[in-house]
Amino acid sequence: GALVYQYPRRTICKSGTSMRMECQAVGFQATSVAWYRQSPQKTFELIALSTVNSAIKYEQNFTQEKFPISHPNLSFSSMTVLNAYLEDRGLYLCGATDWGGKNTLYFGAGTRLSVL
Amino acid sequence: QQQVRQSPQSLTVWEGETAILNCSYEDSTFDYFPWYWQFPRESPALLIAIRPVSNKKEDGRFTIFFNKREKKLSLHITDSQPGDSATYFCAAWGNTGNYKYVFGAGTRLKVIA
């Protein structure tokens, strides 16, 4: 079956420091990877959509300078939160899709970021 | 502008009743509608999905009813169980070139034993 492993599950960083989270797709080709942040109210904010062999598209209010993303192959993607501050706290989710398959979006377990 | 809307925001039903969760969308190019459920402290997981070629999709106690003309769909959970208590998200995707999933704000379901 299709699985997406995301790690770390939880992380705590000091204000102004950076942290990196990674996603690994197993059982399918992650043609596209979307990174979301879920607010305490449970709403999904799309940070960026990365499609292999295409430019990464960032949504309004999110920038590459703040959330650099790497998507080097069809099984792996990473995102870094640079200079994390209190407003960056939340649950970060990666979702991977195989556009050549069922187009289903599979989520990783999420990385919960706390900032001290 | 919210492209996918869900109602109600929260819903409480008794065990054994049918819970009905509603979803509507605006973009007629959407052609794939998955529902995700999310339990506390967990990530969303795919529950059931439908494509507009069908007006109904059933999987056990979970059924999606789809009305393409009105751009509405609903998730029916029959014989609701306390273990069904979760937040349910309706999502939409369309092959318009941007390959983005759009999520509703969710319906928080509570099933009381």
Side-chain angles (χ1 to χ4, degrees), chain B residues 50-97:
Chain B
I50 193 168
R51 295 186 187 274
V53 294
S54 304
N55 55 21
K56 180 181 177 182
K57 178 72 175 293
E58 194 169 352
D59 185 356
R61 296 185 294 107
F62 301 90
T63 302
I64 300 174
F65 293 94
F66 184 77
N67 186 323
K68 186 175 182 178
R69 183 178 60 84
E70 295 186 7
K71 298 181 186 175
K72 292 181 178 179
L73 56 160
S74 60
L75 176 67
H76 292 226
I77 306 173
T78 57
D79 188 24
S80 295
Q81 302 297 309
D84 298 331
S85 299
T87 301
Y88 291 77
F89 294 95
C90 172
W93 178 85
N95 188 9
T96 57

Side-chain angles (χ1 to χ4, degrees), chain A residues 38 49 99 102-103 105 108, chain B residues 36 38 43 51 93 98 101:
Chain A
Q38 191 174 32
L49 181 66
W99 296 125
K102 296 184 178 180
N103 298 345
L105 181 68
Chain B
Y36 289 82
Q38 184 175 25
S43 64
R51 295 186 187 274
W93 178 85
N98 60 14
Y101 275 80

Side-chain angles (χ1 to χ4, degrees), chain A residues 49-70:
Chain A
L49 181 66
S50 172
T51 302
V52 172
N53 297 327
S54 296
I56 299 172
K57 296 180 182 178
Y58 285 83
E59 293 295 293
Q60 196 172 13
N61 301 325
F62 296 97
T63 65
Q64 183 180 6
E65 289 70 33
K66 174 70 174 179
F67 300 96
I69 290 170
S70 172

Side-chain angles (χ1 to χ4, degrees), chain A residues 2 9 37 44 50-51 55-56 64 70-71 89 97 115-116:
Chain A
R9 292 291 302 273
R37 181 169 65 196
F44 289 86
S50 172
T51 302
I56 299 172
Q64 183 180 6
S70 172
H71 188 186
R89 292 175 302 177
T97 309
V115 181
L116 302 178

Side-chain angles (χ1 to χ4, degrees), chain B residues 100-111:
Chain B
K100 289 195 296 188
Y101 275 80
V102 181
F103 286 85
T107 294
R108 183 176 295 180
L109 173 67
K110 184 175 182 180
V111 182

